[in-house]
Amino acid sequence: MSGYSRSEPLARTAPMEANVRKGVTPASQSHRLPGDGIIDRRLPLQFSFDGKTMTGFAGDTLASALVANGVKLVGRSFKYHRPRGIVTAGSEEPSALVEMRTGARREPNTRATTQELYDGLIANSQNRWPSLRRDFMSINQLFAPIFVAGFYYKTFMWPAKFWESIYEPMIRRAAGLGKSAELPDPDHYDKAWAHCDVLVVGAGPAGLSAALAAGRAGSRVILVEEDTLIGGRLLSDGGEIDGLDAREWLRGAARELVSLPNVRIMTRTALFGVYDGGTYAALERVSDNVAMPDRHQVRQRIWRIVAKRSVVTAGAIERPIVFPGNDRPGVMMASAVRTYVNRFAALPGKRVALFTNNDDGWRTVETIERAGAHIVAVIDPRHEVPAQYQRLVDTYDLRVLAGVVSEVKGGVDGVRSIVVANDKNGLTQRIDTDCLAVSGGWNPNVGLSCFHRGKPTWREDIAAFVPGSAPKGMATAGAANGELSLSACLREGHGAGARAAAECGAAGKPGEASKADDEVYAIAPLWHVKGKGKAFVDFQHDVTASDVTLAQREGFESVEHLKRYTTLGMATDQGKTSNINGLAIMAEATGRTIPETGTTIYRPPYAPVAIGAFAGHHRDENFHATRLTPSHHWAAKQGAVFVDTGLWKRAQWYPRAGEKDWLETVTREVLAVRNGVGFCDVSTLGKVDVRGADAGVFLDRVYINSFSNLAVGKARYGLMLREDGIVYDDGTTSRLAEDHYFLTTTTAKAGPVMQHLEFCRQVLFPELDVQLTSATDQWAQFSIAGPNTRNLLRALADPSEDLTNEGFPFMGAREVKLRGGVTARLFRISFSGEMAFEISVPARYGAAMAENLMIAGKPYGVTPYGTEALGVMRIEKGHVAGPELNGTTTADDLGLGKMMSKKKDFIGRVMAGREALTAPNRQVVVGIKPIDKARRLRSGAHVIPKGAIPGPQTDQGYVTSVCFSPMLDQWIGLGLVERGRERTGEIIRIHDPLRNEDYEAEICSPVFYDPEGVRQRG
Amino acid sequence: MRIACPFCGERENGEFTYLGDASPKRPNFAVDGGESPERVEDAFYDYVYLRDNVAGVMREYWYHGGGCRSWLVAERNTVTHEFISVTAAPGAGAASAVRAGE
């Protein structure tokens, strides 16, 4: 076993800790049996339930420890606040839900039946106030006649505004199951992948047989088991296999599996989802069995398991019978009674009554009698003792009653007596008992086989649904397949395991299947005992038999309607014990058969999964990856304030002591650039190396303008469209050699543009000789701008480099040598409108470049500037960016229509010519200046004609980008305005209903500063 | 879902990006070829917008952005999510360019 799974599949046989506290069974464990059980009596554990301290043993669940302590009442129900106890001993538990732990680790709705006991465990009951025994809201029971299916729909309809303010808070206080923690989860969660040939789901006799067969044959096997131990019902019901006691056989099977290096056993791991292509999801409860996870250990881990084949041996769930009072504490599934006695040595009752309609329930007689307790009566509606159990009647002098349980009497502490009615003669009799064991038959666990919309099929002989068609690659075996006897489980499991291994190409021998005696399983379906009092179908959502029949009378006959109208099966247990009973009662009410009535659609997750487990480590600062620019740490040292742009963190501005707000800082940075020199890290721009003989032709096809005619050593601004004619992205592209271009994209579109370019290259134009390489992370790029840029660069560049206007003109692009020998790429391009260069060096020199820019620029007062100052300067120059390239604008809308080449085809050319995209009344980019110079312009504000009433009919556009312009000493902005270019000088109204602002502004040219472009060419 | 990339092997679908129907072909036209603009526009309209909603096997584009950055053409059953075949787009991989007509 190559596990990082640290759980141990075998029962503990030796103390786990050195400091074993010796002791006899403490007095509080009044219902602990002296028999063996699979608990470690050398390891007593202390825990508290509702503030009361109790003890249990290692190997106990919280539920079994509560049973051992004689606790029957463990919670109040969801709707009626009825007293509730423990119903099952497994993950299907609908009733014994508790609030586990405290503070930040508090978690509601934890099934006491799956919660392992640990020393110091703290649990509290739910849904009660002020205390479990005296619950104020149990008055809901008195209102019960009106508290029926659809109550909320019918009652809280009117007036509508009452819903949010009164009804919902009130209902939320009254209902709900426990309170979640109000603090951030302190634990870690993990996600992991596992791959195998054969995945076996469930480690009962069928699953163990499947894993053994596939493992022996040589397949890579993963065996997942939600319980802490492997064995399934063998742990509770025993039996004889291959002539051995079941537990002895189990130890042998476990030893063999552990010895096979190709088999991995994962206990505490519940499979909850089946996905396409043989992908499965499981939840491993790594640390739920301790007070808090070990240091650096996770609490839970989600596994995605990829398997060529799977064998689902998930067993079956015993179903309750619906009869009046069937929710009283002390009414328990017969199989659970046997589990508590045989596995946990905890006695649920001393005078047990058994109500069963099938042979399997009769097993309970021997379990109880051997434990030294008594079966006070067996109630079997079949009017006949099964032949195989006839001997029990004599051995234990059993009182067998033909009939049904029609009433359960008792208090908050549970059952005191039951009334048995003979359904033939109508006579009733009362029987005193402290525990009623119930078996209505077994429902195979068909869920996993139905997650791909497969429909289960009905098997009359066992009165249950069995898997219909399973998802591709999945087989079902054993009780999960409707084969309920031990011998059939062993045989089917082995066969399915061997077949799966063979289908995966395993050549080894699967060995022989283990053998057990054939048993008879006979059942006479009994769904519902009519009578006075509430008979519960869904214990967790308090849905009664009369709610189901009411739904039918009101027309909600479809099972999907029944489910939503009554909330049957919609609680955290997803109706594992209730769905089939609910649809059987619906079938009876409508006069249809059960298969005609059908089941609701099965969907994952099979078991509840905490959202934290799905998130794994992707939370807080690790919610997504963080990308840092090459100068990030340098900028942080300068005190930069960072802003998230996609995954990147970019310096937004660099505050200095004494500056009162960000605006003062940004204004200083802008003025420093416009009057001196500044620099900004622009490495986040997407960068793509385009090489090949056809590189120029390729770029001609993806950009609206031409690049094949760009001279080597020159850069050009380019605009690309989507195929539907809308602007996609922009950037500058430089030609570094005849067959080598260097293309840049916006920061936001770097990934999508690369994908788009690859699509063009690989799919649309595969005949072109061109290759693309993403180089975004390889280059650190800085924009250096301002009148002193050239002076600064001269201090950095090798003296042989000619940086004069003639030697390096505007839009020039070439490699230059820096002092010290590093080769850089230098581009004379300007986003700010100033004399500017962008310099690129390999990313590893990025931080050093920032330092050297500071040193070289010191005589000129060089100022690092952030994205905000960058934005101010681009708005002053009327350059469009993200807010204008918003997925609705055309090249012409942006004022770039003239760039569209008429001489060639390019992506988006034809569709851009459509009528609506060339209409004269389109909203186009303009400049906007408030008339009142003190006004702060806000982006998102609407543009309407002066004098018009604001509304959709008069709306003519909106403000897209704004800034405070230090050069104009007022707020300015860009906007998209209908026929905007024809309206320069017009006074319009800016209407901002969100901020309740309304004022006048002037439409102007988007180029506010240096419209002739003298400065950038200087 | 698992997708067998011809370059990287079988990978989880989170590594891939879906584009859609691989059947429409981008219309070819010569800018000065004298073709009727309406006909060209109609052809592009079909190419950009018109798609069949296939219930069954469909050819579709997938991009292995979390791997080799290849564009792939997959045959997938939209009802069962089963992949019938996955092949590389004509220009995928670092091989020399496919000459027109090949």
Side-chain angles (χ1 to χ4, degrees):
Chain A
M1 201 171 81
S2 64
Y4 10 112
S5 168
R6 55 171 205 161
S7 26
E8 7 138 18
L10 298 168
R12 286 180 187 143
T13 50
M16 299 291 290
E17 292 160 31
N19 57 338
V20 177
R21 282 161 299 173
K22 294 225 162 54
V24 291
T25 301
S28 79
Q29 298 187 37
S30 56
H31 288 60
R32 185 68 78 183
L33 293 163
D36 46 3
I38 312 175
I39 50 169
D40 191 343
R41 287 170 205 263
R42 287 167 298 184
L43 263 178
L45 305 171
Q46 208 168 70
F47 70 101
S48 109
F49 180 66
D50 276 349
K52 195 177 164 205
T53 301
M54 301 179 216
T55 59
F57 292 116
D60 262 328
T61 62
L62 174 58
S64 71
L66 289 169
V67 169
N69 282 273
V71 176
K72 292 241 168 85
L73 174 66
V74 299
R76 290 273 176 174
S77 75
F78 178 62
K79 208 154 74 176
Y80 304 123
H81 288 244
R82 284 168 70 102
R84 289 283 162 82
I86 298 161
V87 176
T88 75
S91 64
E92 70 272 28
E93 177 62 29
S95 176
L97 304 181
V98 299
E99 216 167 74
M100 274 295 298
R101 307 170 202 261
T102 56
R105 289 195 166 85
R106 185 174 71 203
E107 188 173 66
N109 305 336
T110 305
R111 292 156 291 175
T113 50
T114 58
Q115 174 61 53
E116 288 174 68
L117 198 66
Y118 57 82
D119 208 30
L121 180 148
I122 297 169
N124 284 289
S125 60
Q126 299 185 158
N127 247 17
R128 78 317 190 244
W129 186 83
S131 78
L132 184 55
R133 293 180 67 85
R134 293 178 191 283
D135 173 50
F136 179 74
M137 289 300 284
S138 60
I139 198 163
N140 273 358
Q141 286 187 67
L142 305 178
F143 295 138
I146 60 158
F147 220 63
V148 295
F151 174 67
Y152 296 115
Y153 299 136
K154 289 165 183 164
T155 310
F156 298 109
M157 293 283 286
W158 183 90
K161 67 176 179 184
F162 270 35
W163 177 253
E164 268 181 40
S165 57
I166 296 174
Y167 293 148
E168 193 181 328
M170 185 178 89
I171 293 165
R172 287 207 182 278
R173 237 192 335 271
L177 289 156
K179 290 197 299 284
S180 59
E182 283 152 13
L183 298 165
D185 191 336
D187 292 329
H188 294 276
Y189 298 83
D190 200 5
K191 287 184 275 192
W193 285 92
H195 298 258
C196 63
D197 296 322
V198 182
L199 170 67
V200 181
V201 184
L208 291 169
S209 299
L212 282 167
R216 286 171 190 152
S219 284
R220 289 195 307 154
V221 177
I222 291 178
L223 171 61
V224 296
E225 169 54 56
E226 64 175 336
D227 203 338
T228 52
L229 305 174
I230 59 170
R233 287 304 299 170
L234 294 179
L235 299 170
S236 301
D237 282 338
E240 202 181 275
I241 304 173
D242 291 345
L244 299 169
D245 174 74
R247 283 189 196 165
E248 191 54 40
W249 178 87
L250 185 55
R251 273 190 283 274
R255 265 197 303 274
E256 185 180 352
L257 287 172
V258 169
S259 76
L260 290 169
N262 51 325
V263 175
R264 175 174 183 179
I265 304 173
M266 297 170 71
T267 54
R268 297 189 174 101
T269 304
L271 200 92
F272 67 79
V274 179
Y275 303 95
D276 293 311
T279 307
Y280 300 80
L283 178 74
E284 183 185 9
R285 294 175 301 138
V286 181
S287 304
D288 282 350
N289 57 333
V290 288
M292 66 173 77
D294 294 344
R295 210 170 135 69
H296 303 306
Q297 184 54 281
V298 297
R299 181 178 165 229
Q300 295 176 343
R301 179 181 291 129
I302 284 197
W303 287 94
R304 280 182 282 184
I305 303 171
V306 180
K308 294 195 184 88
R309 291 287 183 275
S310 68
V311 180
V312 172
T313 47
I317 291 174
E318 195 170 28
R319 68 180 172 233
I321 297 171
V322 182
F323 56 91
N326 64 339
D327 65 326
R328 183 80 59 194
V331 179
M332 191 182 269
M333 300 315 304
S335 59
V337 169
R338 299 197 298 276
T339 298
Y340 288 120
V341 172
N342 293 330
R343 175 169 171 183
F344 297 108
L347 190 62
K350 290 171 182 169
R351 297 172 51 75
V352 179
L354 171 66
F355 180 21
T356 180
N357 66 344
N358 65 84
D359 296 359
D360 188 71
W362 280 78
R363 290 171 186 269
T364 316
V365 172
E366 207 143 33
T367 292
I368 290 296
E369 291 288 345
R370 281 186 181 172
H374 296 290
I375 291 285
V376 293
V378 179
I379 302 103
D380 192 327
R382 295 179 295 176
H383 294 258
E384 206 172 284
V385 176
Q388 57 188 324
Y389 293 111
Q390 187 63 52
R391 62 185 168 85
L392 297 178
V393 178
D394 306 327
T395 312
Y396 300 117
D397 194 17
L398 279 186
R399 185 176 175 195
V400 183
L401 302 171
V404 295
V405 176
S406 63
E407 204 181 333
V408 179
K409 294 180 190 289
V412 291
D413 283 330
V415 184
R416 286 192 206 115
S417 66
I418 56 170
V419 174
V420 177
N422 185 313
D423 49 331
K424 291 218 169 125
N425 57 25
L427 293 176
T428 62
Q429 58 180 302
R430 184 175 151 152
I431 292 163
D432 289 340
T433 175
D434 59 354
C435 174
L436 175 60
V438 179
S439 179
W442 289 85
N443 289 327
N445 251 326
V446 298
L448 297 176
S449 68
C450 294
F451 279 166
H452 287 187
R453 299 298 281 267
K455 293 235 182 285
T457 53
W458 182 253
R459 238 178 79 180
E460 203 66 50
D461 60 328
I462 59 167
F465 280 104
V466 296
S469 59
K472 202 175 175 205
M474 180 191 285
T476 53
N481 201 32
E483 292 306 320
L484 298 169
S485 75
L486 178 56
S487 56
C489 284
L490 296 166
R491 194 171 54 240
E492 265 205 12
H494 183 272
R499 264 193 308 281
E503 284 163 8
C504 294
K509 288 194 163 49
E512 289 294 310
S514 288
K515 288 183 181 61
D517 286 341
D518 281 321
E519 309 148 55
V520 179
Y521 173 79
I523 180 171
L526 173 66
W527 308 104
H528 178 202
V529 178
K530 295 191 180 74
K532 234 182 94 188
K534 290 191 175 304
F536 284 86
V537 181
D538 183 332
F539 297 107
Q540 200 177 128
H541 260 173
D542 268 359
V543 179
T544 62
S546 56
D547 287 330
V548 176
T549 50
L550 176 70
Q552 186 269 329
R553 286 199 304 279
E554 295 187 349
F556 298 94
E557 287 189 359
S558 141
V559 282
E560 297 289 358
H561 289 157
L562 168 68
K563 169 178 166 177
R564 282 150 186 91
Y565 192 56
T566 62
T567 74
L568 170 71
M570 288 171 73
T572 61
D573 67 341
Q574 290 289 287
K576 289 186 178 63
T577 54
S578 61
N579 281 343
I580 305 299
N581 283 344
L583 65 92
I585 293 169
M586 178 57 83
E588 190 187 73
T590 54
R592 291 175 297 184
T593 64
I594 291 170
E596 276 167 359
T597 305
T599 58
T600 52
I601 292 164
Y602 292 85
R603 293 186 182 90
Y606 174 77
V609 184
I611 296 291
F614 282 116
H617 290 293
H618 295 280
R619 55 179 281 191
D620 304 324
E621 72 276 13
N622 297 320
F623 180 67
H624 57 64
T626 301
R627 299 176 81 180
L628 301 181
T629 62
S631 69
H632 181 87
H633 298 296
W634 172 85
K637 256 186 267 168
Q638 310 302 309
V641 172
F642 294 97
V643 60
D644 289 341
T645 52
L647 303 180
W648 292 99
K649 292 214 178 286
R650 298 188 72 182
Q652 198 171 12
W653 54 75
Y654 294 81
R656 281 188 190 165
E659 288 174 342
K660 66 178 190 299
D661 60 9
W662 66 272
L663 188 55
E664 189 179 338
T665 303
V666 171
T667 300
R668 169 182 54 77
E669 290 175 8
V670 171
L671 291 170
V673 172
R674 297 238 185 263
N675 296 323
V677 63
F679 69 90
C680 176
D681 190 327
V682 293
S683 310
T684 60
L685 295 176
K687 306 178 203 71
V688 186
D689 235 34
V690 185
R691 291 183 193 238
D694 297 327
V697 179
F698 176 77
L699 293 176
D700 285 348
R701 293 190 190 175
V702 296
Y703 281 108
I704 65 172
N705 45 335
S706 289
F707 282 89
S708 54
N709 60 2
L710 181 68
V712 172
K714 281 290 201 178
R716 182 173 285 168
Y717 174 76
L719 193 70
M720 57 173 79
L721 307 185
R722 311 191 305 219
E723 194 70 276
D724 66 359
I726 297 294
V727 170
Y728 189 39
D729 199 55
D730 68 350
T732 51
T733 293
S734 311
R735 192 168 196 173
L736 301 175
E738 200 57 39
D739 61 350
H740 183 193
Y741 290 80
F742 184 67
L743 174 160
T744 65
T745 75
T746 59
T747 299
K749 286 278 179 15
V753 166
M754 186 68 197
Q755 177 176 338
H756 170 69
L757 293 176
E758 287 289 8
F759 182 77
C760 294
R761 182 184 78 81
Q762 299 178 31
V763 177
L764 299 183
F765 315 122
E767 71 279 6
L768 297 183
D769 177 9
V770 60
Q771 295 296 333
L772 307 170
T773 310
S774 170
T776 304
D777 290 299
Q778 278 66 29
W779 293 96
Q781 193 153 323
F782 293 87
S783 168
I784 308 160
N788 275 320
T789 296
R790 201 176 274 124
N791 290 331
L792 183 154
L793 276 176
R794 283 195 176 116
L796 275 184
D798 190 275
S800 64
E801 297 288 352
D802 183 359
L803 300 178
T804 62
N805 218 8
E806 295 70 40
F808 212 128
F810 185 57
M811 298 310 275
R814 67 158 195 261
E815 285 190 342
V816 295
K817 197 176 235 184
L818 302 184
R819 291 171 197 265
V822 173
T823 302
R825 289 174 178 176
L826 199 57
F827 311 92
R828 192 163 162 203
I829 51 181
S830 177
F831 199 42
S832 58
E834 296 301 324
M835 156 72 201
F837 281 88
E838 284 188 15
I839 189 165
S840 249
V841 289
R844 63 184 179 280
Y845 298 125
M849 177 54 83
E851 307 237 13
N852 278 293
L853 286 167
M854 289 301 279
I855 295 164
K858 197 158 187 231
Y860 315 103
V862 68
T863 302
Y865 64 96
T867 54
E868 205 62 34
L870 184 85
V872 170
M873 290 188 278
R874 74 104 184 158
I875 293 170
E876 284 183 333
K877 283 295 291 178
H879 289 311
V880 291
E884 290 79 35
L885 275 63
N886 62 6
T888 69
T889 46
T890 65
D892 191 57
D893 295 345
L894 303 179
L896 303 170
K898 289 197 179 72
M899 283 172 63
M900 290 172 77
S901 168
K902 292 196 166 50
K903 295 181 196 142
K904 55 158 188 165
D905 179 23
F906 56 85
I907 301 285
R909 172 190 162 124
V910 174
M911 289 287 94
R914 284 180 292 166
E915 202 180 339
L917 296 192
T918 53
N921 63 343
R922 284 189 65 83
Q923 297 181 354
V924 300
V925 169
V926 294
I928 295 173
K929 278 193 293 201
I931 302 300
D932 175 1
K933 288 197 159 201
R935 250 307 165 182
R936 178 169 179 180
L937 189 63
R938 303 245 191 202
S939 55
H942 289 262
V943 172
I944 54 171
K946 208 177 149 185
I949 298 161
Q953 291 83 9
T954 54
D955 193 273
Q956 293 188 324
Y958 66 103
V959 180
T960 52
S961 303
V962 297
C963 72
F964 176 78
S965 164
M967 307 319 287
L968 279 75
D969 196 28
Q970 75 165 105
W971 284 85
I972 59 169
L974 302 177
L976 286 163
V977 178
E978 212 173 288
R979 298 177 190 270
R981 280 195 289 271
E982 307 162 12
R983 296 166 64 183
T984 304
E986 186 182 325
I987 308 298
I988 41 117
R989 190 169 158 195
I990 301 292
H991 183 67
D992 191 348
L994 273 182
R995 302 178 185 94
N996 206 19
E997 289 179 345
D998 201 313
Y999 47 92
E1000 289 181 348
E1002 183 192 335
I1003 295 181
C1004 58
S1005 158
V1007 190
F1008 293 88
Y1009 179 66
D1010 186 25
E1012 293 79 30
V1014 176
R1015 299 179 71 90
Q1016 62 195 14
R1017 292 167 198 277
Chain B
M1 220 149 59
R2 312 278 298 169
I3 300 174
C5 172
F7 299 103
C8 308
E10 189 188 281
R11 298 297 175 97
E12 189 242 349
N13 69 329
E15 292 185 7
F16 300 83
T17 311
Y18 180 72
L19 183 70
D21 196 346
S23 303
K25 292 278 167 274
R26 189 173 192 273
N28 239 328
F29 75 102
V31 172
D32 300 318
E35 291 186 68
S36 120
E38 288 76 24
R39 197 202 63 78
V40 173
E41 196 173 296
D42 284 352
F44 266 92
Y45 180 82
D46 285 1
Y47 168 65
V48 173
Y49 292 109
L50 296 189
R51 295 289 183 275
D52 290 332
N53 188 10
V54 179
V57 177
M58 164 171 179
R59 290 178 75 244
E60 47 195 30
Y61 287 124
W62 288 82
Y63 177 59
H64 196 189
C68 59
R69 289 192 181 142
S70 292
W71 277 94
L72 309 172
V73 179
E75 284 182 296
R76 184 180 65 106
N77 188 321
T78 59
V79 178
T80 62
H81 301 314
E82 200 178 335
F83 283 84
I84 290 96
S85 72
V86 184
T87 53
S96 60
V98 179
R99 288 291 149 200
E102 273 180 33

